[in-house]
Amino acid sequence: MSKKFYITTPIYYPSASPHLGHAYCTTMCDIIARGKRMRGFETYFLTGLDEHGEKIQENAEAKGVTPQEFVDEVAVKFTSLWKTMGISNDDFIRTTQPRHYETVKKIFSSFIKNDDAYLGAYKGWYCVHEESYWTETQVGPEHVCPECGRPVVEKEEPSYFFRCGKYVDELLKLYDENPTFITPEGRKAEMVNNFIKPGLNDLCITRTTFDWGIPVKEAEGHVIYVWLDALTNYISALGYLQEDDSKFQKFWNDPESEIVHVIGADITRFHTIYWPMFLKALNLREPNRVFVHGLMMMKDGKMSKSKGNVIPVPPLVDRFGVDAVRYYLAREIIFGQDGQFTPEQFVERLNADLANNLGNLLNRSVSMINKYFDGVIPEYKGELNDLDKNLKETAEKTIKAYEVLSDDLKVTESYGAVMDLVSAANKYIEESAPWALAKDPSKAEELASCMSHLANAIFVAGMLLSPILVTKSEKIFDQLGVDASMRNYETATKFGVLGGQKVVKGDQLFPRLDVEAEVQFIKDLMAAPKEKAAA
Ligand SMILES: [Zn+2]
């Protein structure tokens, strides 16, 4: 039986046009999902949109459309962005879909039935931005939101509350028993010290001040709080409490299925405190991990339209190709840490890693196989010299390291290991000096071994890079003459399987970029929306 893996992005708030910042998290999840599929895991990859709440209602009103019309329009922009980025999601959940309503309403009723929720009145300081209530202490004398710094307003409304107190001990036990539940681990202390230790109030789970949400069956005028609504997407998409719940049984209810939520830091509290509590109330297991990714920062802070530092994705992908943009995101920003985007580093990264290191390796190797062996990869079964042995061992170690690191969600490091193999293969060419071997008839065997080892090392690297290089890895296999039946992980990771294939010289995999011109191109892209806004 194959291993199961379920990975989710946060569901995005459809209040803006999506840009490279939005694409970052989804692209990283896509790379993880493709990597697992490649290795034979039965994988389910979910992304979607969080379409309810007061802010959406206000945005729609400002535009003079209904909230549904508003979110429908934005949903198209998101699905189109995912297509541009080569995202391979299995499902796209929208919280306005009937399937989601069905699950959320049933969950709410179950909370009431089991006395996990009760009717009370809520008074507090409210931030419209996160749709979150805060206490007097949290907003301080200035009455600003502790999360986003915006001014908060005092509000009172009749509300249902979720009994958090019932589940605090179990939550702390979960943190203790599963140290990687919150990754990176530092986030755990933050949750415990800032939110749980000071005393966790019962969570208000309905609203009466607006109506753009899922109505409560048990009480007219109440809609379900956006966070209870939104978090439920992870199981409503799988069919929980719906007629066909086979995906839920397979990817959630099976204790052998590994479940990973990838999120941004600003929503850690909801995912690591309230979500596990809701699941406990429903008698369901928790995810294995909530992974908090870092931010792709710009020189002047977060990417935002008002700062005029937004990078639109389609023109970037048009110019550099989807593989290059995906590669940059995976390699430049260490997954789990903040990183900074600069046009200069973007261009230099692509030149150094893709054009010079990987592209050159393939190009030189195919040229030499053409020149020395009439384009046929030698089937070499003889003795290995130290250099050959070393390259073979490096490739085999790389495969193991790649698997261990990627299972630990060390995405950046796992592909760093693969690029080290590419560097090692380039170094192997220099040290083996095939051009010298070719001049000496007594070295014919060594030359054959060298070409065979190079082709096989490139095959391994091309396969391991395929979750990132969604189009170019196929071009690598084309140039190596690998037929379709061999283009799979199991074959490629048995080092030495290539021999007898006819190589096909192709275009440069990644042409070298003119740094000055391309940096200017990106700067112009960043400037474009600002000019439009001013006009
Ligand atoms: Zn706020």
Side-chain angles (χ1 to χ4, degrees):
M1 219 170 60
S2 67
K3 292 192 220 165
K4 296 175 191 76
F5 183 73
Y6 179 39
I7 185 164
T8 67
T9 72
I11 49 174
Y12 299 99
Y13 209 78
S15 58
S17 295
H19 51 64
L20 194 61
H22 295 98
Y24 173 62
C25 174
T26 308
T27 303
M28 296 308 285
C29 290
D30 184 68
I31 290 168
I32 297 168
R34 284 177 184 266
K36 292 282 188 180
R37 277 192 215 112
M38 167 179 84
R39 289 169 53 204
F41 288 68
E42 200 173 348
T43 300
Y44 205 76
F45 170 25
L46 176 71
T47 185
L49 290 181
D50 175 11
E51 302 189 329
H52 288 129
E54 194 169 7
K55 205 168 42 161
I56 299 280
Q57 194 166 357
E58 285 173 1
N59 286 341
E61 273 162 21
K63 265 192 102 181
V65 295
T66 66
Q68 190 65 56
E69 285 167 342
F70 179 83
V71 293
D72 285 349
E73 195 183 308
V74 183
V76 174
K77 291 184 187 165
F78 274 86
T79 45
S80 140
L81 174 65
W82 302 153
K83 211 173 154 207
T84 305
M85 285 305 293
I87 304 299
S88 65
N89 54 304
D90 296 288
D91 197 353
F92 184 74
I93 181 101
R94 299 178 56 191
T95 55
T96 51
Q97 288 166 339
R99 57 172 175 161
H100 179 71
Y101 269 58
E102 191 183 336
T103 300
V104 174
K105 283 181 165 183
K106 285 180 180 166
I107 287 176
F108 192 87
S109 300
S110 132
F111 284 175
I112 292 185
K113 196 174 135 237
N114 298 325
D115 194 37
D116 286 310
Y118 63 93
L119 186 63
Y122 197 85
K123 193 177 170 187
W125 294 98
Y126 186 72
C127 175
V128 177
H129 184 71
E130 285 94 15
E131 317 206 14
S132 222
Y133 273 105
W134 302 100
T135 62
E136 189 73 42
T137 339
Q138 285 169 322
V139 299
E142 267 100 55
H143 295 142
V144 291
C145 169
E147 203 127 291
C148 71
R150 292 176 172 83
V152 289
V153 288
E154 203 169 21
K155 257 192 176 184
E156 183 174 356
E157 54 181 315
S159 292
Y160 282 87
F161 287 84
F162 181 82
R163 293 190 197 279
C164 293
K166 258 173 104 172
Y167 300 104
V168 170
D169 291 345
E170 283 182 72
L171 184 68
L172 292 171
K173 198 169 147 234
L174 163 70
Y175 290 177
D176 276 347
E177 285 173 356
N178 180 0
T180 57
F181 175 69
I182 309 176
T183 323
E185 246 194 291
R187 301 276 176 192
K188 184 169 86 181
E190 192 186 322
M191 292 300 119
V192 173
N193 297 331
N194 297 1
F195 300 109
I196 301 175
K197 272 197 187 150
L200 204 55
N201 293 328
D202 287 350
L203 181 72
C204 172
I205 53 170
T206 63
R207 294 285 185 269
T208 55
T209 47
F210 63 95
D211 57 14
W212 182 238
I214 301 180
V216 172
K217 205 172 64 184
E218 289 79 359
E220 212 180 313
H222 288 252
V223 296
I224 292 166
Y225 176 45
V226 281
W227 272 106
L228 171 57
D229 173 350
L231 289 162
T232 302
N233 93 87
Y234 300 130
I235 50 180
S236 69
L238 297 177
Y240 176 61
L241 299 180
Q242 296 161 33
E243 199 178 307
D244 177 5
D245 71 347
S246 52
K247 286 192 199 95
F248 176 78
Q249 296 303 339
K250 186 189 275 179
F251 292 104
W252 199 286
N253 230 8
D254 183 345
E256 295 298 305
S257 174
E258 186 185 353
I259 304 170
V260 174
H261 297 315
V262 177
I263 62 165
D266 54 340
I267 54 178
T268 309
R269 184 165 62 106
F270 295 99
H271 280 80
T272 61
I273 295 177
Y274 300 116
W275 179 228
M277 288 187 170
F278 295 157
L279 290 167
K280 293 223 176 278
L282 298 166
N283 261 318
L284 298 177
R285 59 167 287 194
E286 300 83 22
N288 298 73
R289 272 209 215 199
V290 176
F291 187 94
V292 185
H293 71 76
L295 283 174
M296 192 179 72
M297 305 293 281
M298 306 301 282
K299 263 192 183 138
D300 48 355
K302 259 175 102 162
M303 204 181 276
S304 84
K305 219 170 184 176
S306 55
K307 282 190 190 134
N309 61 6
V310 165
I311 301 176
V313 177
L316 194 72
V317 166
D318 270 356
R319 182 81 166 196
F320 300 101
V322 64
D323 298 62
V325 177
R326 290 168 64 96
Y327 181 83
Y328 172 83
L329 294 178
R331 285 287 294 131
E332 184 74 23
I333 303 159
I334 298 169
F335 193 47
Q337 297 178 24
D338 289 345
Q340 200 189 63
F341 178 97
T342 70
E344 291 79 7
Q345 277 166 336
F346 179 84
V347 177
E348 273 155 24
R349 169 67 77 172
L350 302 190
N351 266 348
D353 290 13
L354 297 181
N356 293 354
N357 201 6
L358 180 64
N360 248 345
L361 174 66
L362 179 69
N363 199 35
R364 294 163 88 187
S365 303
V366 167
S367 296
M368 288 190 290
I369 293 166
N370 268 327
K371 190 169 168 191
Y372 304 137
F373 292 93
D374 290 327
V376 178
I377 299 170
E379 282 182 81
Y380 183 76
K381 302 278 180 241
E383 288 286 299
L384 305 186
N385 66 26
D386 285 349
L387 292 172
D388 301 343
K389 269 186 220 156
N390 191 20
L391 184 67
K392 182 170 185 272
E393 273 172 27
T394 304
E396 285 163 349
K397 275 186 199 153
T398 301
I399 295 162
K400 283 209 185 82
Y402 171 81
E403 291 183 354
V404 171
L405 290 166
S406 45
D407 283 342
D408 200 19
L409 302 180
K410 294 196 163 67
V411 179
T412 307
E413 295 85 343
S414 69
Y415 291 98
V418 181
M419 292 310 289
D420 287 345
L421 169 63
V422 173
S423 307
N426 271 317
K427 195 166 159 235
Y428 169 81
I429 297 180
E430 299 310 319
E431 291 174 348
S432 304
W435 45 88
L437 300 176
K439 284 183 191 142
D440 182 347
S442 75
K443 304 276 187 181
E445 285 289 285
E446 274 186 56
L447 184 63
S449 178
C450 179
M451 292 303 116
S452 162
H453 276 79
L454 272 179
N456 279 292
I458 296 170
F459 189 27
V460 171
M463 182 57 66
L464 297 186
L465 286 168
S466 66
I468 297 181
L469 305 182
V470 291
T471 68
K472 298 288 178 155
S473 57
E474 294 297 323
K475 306 273 182 227
I476 296 175
F477 304 148
D478 289 345
Q479 292 205 28
L480 291 176
V482 176
D483 68 39
S485 69
M486 292 180 81
R487 294 184 185 191
N488 57 69
Y489 187 75
E490 223 197 320
T491 306
T493 51
K494 285 181 199 128
F495 188 91
V497 287
L498 292 191
Q501 284 78 10
K502 180 100 178 66
V503 298
V504 184
K505 181 105 183 133
D507 294 336
Q508 284 277 359
L509 210 51
F510 293 97
R512 216 187 133 70
L513 303 168
D514 178 322
V515 177
E516 206 177 314
E518 300 308 327
V519 164
Q520 193 52 50
F521 174 84
I522 298 169
K523 286 182 175 165
D524 291 346
L525 269 188
M526 287 160 67
K530 198 162 60 179
E531 281 163 18
K532 245 188 241 161

